[in-house]
Amino acid sequence: MSNKFYITTPIYYVNASPHIGHSYTTIAADVLTRFKRRVLGKENVRFLTGTDEHGQKIQKAADAAKLSAQSFVDQTSQQFRDLWKSLDVSYDDFIRTTQPRHVKVVQKCLEIIFKKGDIYEGKYEGLYCTPCETFWLEAQAVGGLCPDCHRPVERIVETNYFFKLTKYQDWLLGYLRENPDFIKPGSRYEETLRFLELNKLNDLCISRPKERLSWGIPLPFAPEHVTYVWFDALVNYISAVGEFDARDNYVSKWWPAELHLMAKDILRQHTVYWPIMLHALNIELPKRVFAHGWWMLNEDKMSKSRGNVVNPLEMVEKYGLDAYRYFLLREVPFGLDGNFSEEGIIKRYNSDLANDLGNLVYRTLTMVEKYFDGNIPDLKLNGSTKSVAEILAKIEHLPVRVFSALDEQNFSLALESIWELIGMANKHVEETKPWNLAKENKQEDLKEFIRLLVDVIRAVADKLEIFIPQTAASIQEQFVGDKVKKGNPLFPRIETKKK
């Protein structure tokens, strides 16, 4: 196993405020970061996020807001940092593509690839979608509309610079066939492989004339052109953690990244453009690219351009931070699309958090107070009954089950393992009927019963620290050495009006 872990989110485009999709990727990265810090130590883990701040969409949004492009991106980038603070996201570095450290590395990459002969000047004539900043073939833009956002494309004729993607198509195909774990989930791997097998790549247009777009990083060999935003943005993963030496070798203690996380709509940029760019630069590829699904609203993709986005802060204000984090991670297997609804959050809140977890903690602490004056019974459990033995085995195997699921980015399975233990403990309470043990003065049985529940809660809180850290801390604060200090219920039920 590698003794370091470098994880990235995509850098988020700052033409509008952040929404639930951004929070989904970033919370997932935060969970994996907290997990790996436990395994490898904080100093051996690096979590990068940031903002993508160049391009035509930014310039148009800044013009509409009557601000300079720099002032506009400063404001919007800050919104992302403020949101991550509110969502308890523990990133190590926040990169902005307007920072000098990034600009310097982008220009160096362009210089190296240009000297190698993999960038050439050519004329482009074709269809262009400004909102998506993407060129399209006539056959793709049916009815003159962008196939992604369904808005009109415009015809453009101009001289630009092109990166020779075509030169590396066979190499990339061979690499993917030899490394099926490079792209996850498997469906995205198959999608990329089929695309490369069935289509001949076009060379990538990597510049825009300054006369059409001035807001970007100038090409070092053609300062009258700026860098295409997708070439610029992808370089952030290396510009944040390293630099080139005098011989054009990339040097970094963190690269290669163990994991790039993103949504599936930017899969191709990360599994076609980015590997080829790295190969052309003679830089090792990341270990894994994981493209998760979309959150849908009424079966429709949630996106800024469609205006149907959910504000994460509103959800946190309504239901609490950890309920929001829990819902995103538990509701849908990571990689599949999910349907977002407040009814879904309330259902998870009342069922999993209030009834299962909250109830177990509150009634256990109540029983410790009632039967043992707040003192936790001090004894070693040995599985005196089948039920006790099964729960002890579940506690023992919990770390392996949770950690192995997280190694495969399977958050819902990891949480399911924790909730199985919670469910077993709640069932044990109903079957054991501790109130009867107390009535019959079966003190040793009662001690064993209480101690088992305390051990379950401690094991659960320890693992929940990775997913919902504030709740875990609240639980742990109620256990002080060998005594309990009961607080308020963790998740008071949300009452819903019946129709």
Side-chain angles (χ1 to χ4, degrees):
M1 185 179 76
S2 172
N3 62 353
K4 62 93 181 170
F5 185 73
Y6 175 36
I7 183 172
T8 73
T9 68
I11 48 172
Y12 301 114
Y13 208 41
V14 294
N15 62 321
S17 301
H19 59 72
I20 183 179
H22 302 115
S23 70
Y24 186 42
T25 318
T26 312
I27 288 169
D30 179 62
V31 168
L32 294 172
T33 298
R34 290 172 187 271
F35 155 51
K36 287 296 183 179
R37 283 176 185 152
R38 286 198 169 197
V39 177
L40 302 172
K42 191 174 190 301
E43 68 283 359
N44 295 316
V45 177
R46 192 102 183 135
F47 170 13
L48 174 71
T49 188
T51 44
D52 179 3
E53 302 180 10
H54 290 125
Q56 200 164 357
K57 275 193 280 192
I58 304 285
Q59 187 65 66
K60 285 198 167 188
D63 291 345
K66 295 185 168 50
L67 291 169
S68 70
Q70 188 63 56
S71 296
F72 179 81
V73 298
D74 286 347
Q75 283 184 19
T76 322
S77 178
Q78 188 61 48
Q79 288 180 24
F80 281 85
R81 274 171 290 171
D82 291 344
L83 177 60
W84 302 154
K85 188 176 180 181
S86 299
L87 297 181
D88 204 5
V89 170
S90 59
Y91 61 82
D92 295 297
D93 191 6
F94 189 101
I95 191 161
R96 300 178 58 188
T97 56
T98 49
Q99 289 172 337
R101 61 171 172 163
H102 177 73
V103 173
K104 178 184 169 188
V105 174
V106 169
Q107 290 187 317
K108 188 64 178 174
C109 290
L110 288 163
E111 201 178 278
I112 292 168
I113 297 173
F114 182 69
K115 276 196 292 189
K116 195 175 178 180
D118 284 347
I119 292 176
Y120 62 92
E121 189 179 17
K123 183 160 278 194
Y124 177 81
E125 179 175 356
L127 304 174
Y128 184 70
C129 173
T130 299
C132 294
E133 302 203 17
T134 305
F135 291 105
W136 297 105
L137 301 172
E138 300 275 353
Q140 293 171 307
V142 179
L145 299 177
C146 169
D148 273 359
C149 72
H150 308 296
R151 284 177 282 199
V153 292
E154 56 184 311
R155 182 166 294 282
I156 284 178
V157 180
E158 62 189 22
T159 298
N160 277 318
Y161 285 83
F162 294 80
F163 171 44
K164 294 180 180 176
L165 284 185
T166 47
K167 173 179 171 182
Y168 296 104
Q169 182 164 358
D170 289 343
W171 163 79
L172 181 57
L173 255 174
Y175 183 85
L176 291 182
R177 285 172 180 149
E178 287 172 19
N179 297 276
D181 283 345
F182 175 62
I183 304 171
K184 289 287 183 179
S187 57
R188 305 278 173 254
Y189 170 75
E190 294 297 336
E191 180 186 327
T192 306
L193 199 62
R194 275 198 310 275
F195 170 75
L196 287 167
E197 286 171 344
L198 299 175
N199 298 279
K200 181 162 171 45
L201 289 177
N202 295 312
D203 287 339
L204 180 65
C205 181
I206 59 156
S207 75
R208 302 289 182 267
K210 265 193 179 172
E211 61 195 35
R212 181 160 72 81
L213 172 66
S214 60
W215 183 243
I217 298 174
L219 298 191
F221 46 82
E224 69 284 1
H225 283 77
V226 297
T227 311
Y228 171 47
V229 70
W230 265 114
F231 189 100
D232 162 8
L234 290 162
V235 173
N236 92 88
Y237 303 126
I238 58 172
S239 67
V241 291
E243 55 188 8
F244 289 91
D245 64 16
R247 296 183 177 181
D248 293 345
N249 296 311
Y250 178 69
V251 182
S252 169
K253 73 175 247 187
W254 291 105
W255 192 261
E258 273 64 37
L259 187 62
H260 287 325
L261 284 185
M262 71 215 55
K264 65 181 181 180
D265 49 347
I266 52 174
L267 174 72
R268 193 166 299 166
Q269 287 89 337
H270 285 84
T271 57
V272 178
Y273 300 174
W274 183 226
I276 289 176
M277 285 165 63
L278 287 168
H279 188 63
L281 289 161
N282 198 30
I283 297 175
E284 192 177 345
L285 269 56
K287 302 295 184 191
R288 178 173 290 179
V289 172
F290 196 111
H292 63 71
W294 291 327
W295 279 103
M296 320 289 275
L297 202 60
N298 301 321
E299 308 303 322
D300 195 15
K301 183 200 169 190
M302 207 182 289
S303 71
K304 289 177 291 190
S305 59
R306 296 181 192 198
N308 63 346
V309 297
V310 172
N311 182 337
L313 290 178
E314 286 178 14
M315 296 300 103
V316 169
E317 200 172 311
K318 265 188 179 181
Y319 306 108
L321 170 57
D322 280 358
Y324 177 71
R325 285 176 64 114
Y326 178 80
F327 172 80
L328 292 183
L329 297 165
R330 180 73 195 273
E331 185 71 2
V332 181
F334 200 59
L336 301 182
D337 292 343
N339 207 45
F340 183 88
S341 71
E342 291 193 53
E343 292 83 359
I345 292 185
I346 292 169
K347 190 177 173 186
R348 283 280 177 199
Y349 181 105
N350 282 339
S351 169
D352 299 10
L353 298 174
N355 286 5
D356 296 343
L357 174 63
N359 189 34
L360 176 65
V361 172
Y362 194 75
R363 68 178 174 177
T364 298
L365 270 66
T366 299
M367 287 188 284
V368 178
E369 288 182 342
K370 182 176 179 181
Y371 301 132
F372 298 103
D373 296 324
N375 296 303
I376 299 166
D378 182 17
L379 73 159
K380 186 165 176 62
L381 300 173
N382 57 12
S384 58
T385 67
K386 186 183 175 191
S387 176
V388 172
E390 285 175 351
I391 292 172
L392 288 173
K394 186 69 82 172
I395 292 172
E396 186 184 347
H397 295 131
L398 189 64
V400 172
R401 293 194 66 196
V402 171
F403 290 178
S404 60
L406 289 178
D407 269 330
E408 293 303 316
Q409 296 81 55
N410 194 335
F411 304 98
S412 54
L413 181 61
L415 286 166
E416 199 178 294
S417 301
I418 297 170
W419 254 258
E420 277 176 17
L421 177 56
I422 294 169
M424 287 173 74
N426 279 322
K427 186 182 175 193
H428 185 61
V429 175
E430 302 308 324
E431 290 177 347
T432 306
K433 298 182 176 58
W435 44 91
N436 288 341
L437 296 179
K439 267 185 204 170
E440 295 164 19
N441 202 25
K442 293 184 175 177
Q443 279 297 300
E444 292 309 307
D445 288 349
L446 194 56
K447 278 183 184 177
E448 180 190 62
F449 169 80
I450 292 293
R451 181 65 201 217
L452 181 65
L453 293 188
V454 169
D455 287 356
V456 166
I457 292 167
R458 281 177 166 160
V460 163
D462 180 65
K463 297 299 167 282
L464 286 182
E465 202 171 21
I466 296 168
F467 303 90
I468 45 176
Q470 291 186 4
T471 298
S474 285
I475 296 170
Q476 287 158 344
E477 283 163 11
Q478 296 179 62
F479 293 88
V480 185
D482 59 359
K483 293 184 77 69
V484 300
K485 185 183 172 187
K486 188 176 74 175
N488 294 323
L490 294 171
F491 295 96
R493 276 186 64 81
I494 298 171
E495 296 306 325
T496 54
K497 291 178 182 174
K498 291 182 180 176
K499 291 184 181 178

